[in-house]
Amino acid sequence: MPFDFSGRKLSLLAELRRDGINDERVLKAVESIPRELFVPATFQDRAYENIPLPIGRAQTISQPFIVALMTQMLQVEDKHCVLEIGTGSGYQAAVLSRLCRRVFTLERHQTLLQEAQKRFGALRIHNITSRFGDGTKGWPEAAPYDRIIVTAAAPELPLRLVAQLRDGGVMIAPVGPERRDQRLVRLRRNGDGHDVEELGEVRFVPLVRGLPRERASQKEE
Ligand code: SAH
């Protein structure tokens, strides 16, 4: 019989509430996505600990609190189209898929993308469109987006993506150098300009420009 994660999930949800996640839609979305399916089998028993976990290719699935916080700060509505940069495990995209009409998500590691796509299929999530590509360029063909969420840290606010944001739209991104002094930033597009606010300290893997050279012989991490 598969392990019953429901007790651990309830404790995690209580922890998220205690730490300031009070948007019921967000809590419900987190509750509805089985995080144990988004982590490697060896870490499954830790899936409901409030910590990031390795997913291969030196990348991580974010800490549940950070996923919930970014989702809450993004102020996603039912009719929204959301662009995510950095599919990773697919977990953040899956949470968002419960809250909006459509999620577009980009990943620069082919293997991670394929695993995420399998998870979306297994969970019968049909409103996520994902593709391989360099997210620093965004996904202009499907623009404009109501919301953009960047889940890897850029050294500077990725202003190039603002052009793909609808007027009045919101982008959330961690900004800062590799592995230190990063801040979560929320930007709201305002015609040709934008307003920016800082939302606190975070720690993300870096947003990397360009695509990796993935040879067939390259070892899986
Ligand atoms: N949202 C993910 C978190 C993944 S970590 C989740 O819920 O699991 C950040 C991801 O961003 C990594 O998978 C990394 O490969 C990806 N990434 C980094 N730079 C990128 C770029 N320029 N374009 C697309 N993806 C990128």
Side-chain angles (χ1 to χ4, degrees):
M1 223 172 65
F3 183 81
D4 181 7
F5 286 98
S6 52
R8 292 181 188 183
K9 188 181 267 188
L10 283 178
S11 320
L12 175 64
L13 286 163
E15 194 176 331
L16 296 180
R17 268 180 206 281
R18 194 199 61 205
D19 292 347
I21 307 303
N22 49 23
D23 184 331
E24 293 302 325
R25 288 176 74 237
V26 172
L27 289 162
K28 217 172 140 200
V30 170
E31 186 174 7
S32 77
I33 302 296
R35 191 167 185 259
E36 69 274 19
L37 302 186
F38 289 82
V39 302
T42 44
F43 290 110
Q44 238 164 35
D45 59 334
R46 308 194 69 181
Y48 289 95
E49 289 179 34
N50 198 4
I51 51 171
L53 289 167
I55 53 170
R57 300 280 167 199
Q59 306 303 323
T60 54
I61 174 173
S62 305
Q63 182 191 358
F65 172 69
I66 292 295
V67 172
L69 181 72
M70 286 176 85
T71 308
Q72 180 164 281
M73 297 294 189
L74 203 57
Q75 302 165 313
V76 185
E77 296 170 18
D78 291 346
K79 289 190 184 139
H80 282 172
C81 270
V82 180
L83 172 66
E84 180 194 31
I85 310 300
T87 316
S89 67
Y91 181 69
Q92 172 76 72
V95 170
L96 287 167
S97 77
R98 299 287 199 239
L99 297 167
C100 65
R101 189 158 59 83
R102 182 153 291 277
V103 180
F104 293 85
T105 181
L106 276 164
E107 172 56 53
R108 70 186 283 284
H109 280 296
Q110 192 73 264
T111 49
L112 295 181
L113 179 70
Q114 282 164 359
E115 285 166 24
Q117 288 172 335
K118 269 191 224 151
R119 294 176 180 124
F120 302 148
L123 291 170
R124 299 198 173 81
I125 299 176
H126 300 300
N127 61 339
I128 298 178
T129 311
S130 54
R131 85 172 186 202
F132 172 67
D134 176 5
T136 61
K137 299 180 181 145
W139 188 328
E141 300 88 332
Y145 305 97
D146 302 286
R147 299 288 183 260
I148 298 180
I149 179 169
V150 185
T151 67
E156 317 260 316
L157 193 59
L159 289 177
R160 186 171 178 178
L161 299 176
V162 179
Q164 295 178 29
L165 200 57
R166 194 183 296 287
D167 193 13
V170 172
M171 172 165 82
I172 293 230
V175 178
E178 201 161 326
R179 306 217 177 262
R180 63 193 164 84
D181 300 330
Q182 298 174 2
R183 300 270 184 280
L184 198 57
V185 173
R186 178 163 60 186
L187 172 152
R188 192 178 293 271
R189 180 167 180 184
N190 201 342
D192 289 336
H194 56 260
D195 307 310
V196 173
E197 65 191 297
E198 278 196 12
L199 305 170
E201 220 171 293
V202 286
R203 195 157 151 181
F204 275 82
V205 295
L207 183 74
V208 183
R209 227 171 256 286
L211 297 171
R213 266 190 273 155
E214 284 188 287
R215 300 177 301 272
S217 61
Q218 193 170 337
K219 273 235 195 99
E220 289 295 311
E221 282 154 28

